[in-house]
Amino acid sequence: MHDPKQLFAEKLRQAMVAAGYAPKPSVLEREFNTRHWGKPMTLHGVRRWLLGETMPDARKLITLAEWLRMPVQELAFGKPDSTPQAREEAARWHVGLGYEDRELFETYLRLPVPQRRLAREVILAIAKAQAVDQTPRKR
């Protein structure tokens, strides 16, 4: 199986089963569209992914990989990312975080997309208000 689309389709089906989902277009459409912030996919579109006729674009691949909890590289190309530099870049953001912060991020990532959007908006509003409070005032 050297065709990238067929390889992707096989990895997608395997990942869905491993995550506890039936590898059916209706399941994929529902689960993908509840997580993706862009234009929703149609039943026909996700069916073509599962059959290996097409592949999703990069943003959709990221959504799929996050949902199925696997590296994008592995989902798209069927092998784990072997570049140490890429792993270091991905891991750098959480250096220095304590247990409570890591637990918070993990909880956030388990939320459904609409609740994640709301949480993000609240955090950004608090950060914006904090920045205004810290702005030096003229006397």
Side-chain angles (χ1 to χ4, degrees):
M1 180 179 345
H2 292 96
D3 179 23
K5 294 176 203 166
Q6 289 294 318
L7 183 60
F8 166 74
E10 181 62 30
K11 290 300 294 182
L12 179 58
R13 289 190 299 268
Q14 289 173 357
M16 287 179 70
V17 169
Y21 296 93
K24 296 179 179 180
S26 60
V27 173
L28 180 55
E29 177 195 28
R30 178 189 68 230
E31 296 301 324
F32 176 82
N33 287 335
T34 60
R35 290 167 173 80
H36 189 65
W37 290 22
K39 182 179 176 186
M41 285 297 296
T42 63
L43 187 63
H44 179 69
V46 297
R47 179 181 163 278
R48 294 183 72 199
W49 290 348
L50 288 170
L51 293 175
E53 294 175 0
T54 61
M55 281 186 66
D57 63 31
R59 288 184 60 221
K60 291 178 176 132
L61 267 173
I62 291 169
T63 300
L64 288 168
E66 287 175 353
W67 164 47
L68 297 168
R69 298 190 186 276
M70 66 186 308
V72 175
Q73 188 82 0
E74 185 177 340
L75 180 60
F77 304 109
K79 53 187 162 188
D81 183 9
S82 60
T83 44
Q85 182 181 7
R87 281 194 296 269
E88 288 175 19
E89 291 291 325
R92 190 179 303 166
W93 72 269
H94 62 77
V95 172
L97 287 181
Y99 170 76
E100 290 176 338
D101 291 330
R102 287 177 193 241
E103 184 178 44
L104 175 66
F105 284 118
E106 289 172 7
T107 302
Y108 168 81
L109 292 173
R110 286 191 301 265
L111 290 173
V113 172
Q115 282 77 13
R116 276 195 278 173
R117 286 181 186 154
L118 178 61
R120 183 177 184 275
E121 289 175 18
V122 168
I123 291 168
L124 291 174
I126 292 170
K128 186 176 180 180
Q130 180 68 24
V132 169
D133 287 346
Q134 292 181 349
T135 304
R137 295 189 177 122
K138 294 181 182 178
R139 293 182 181 208

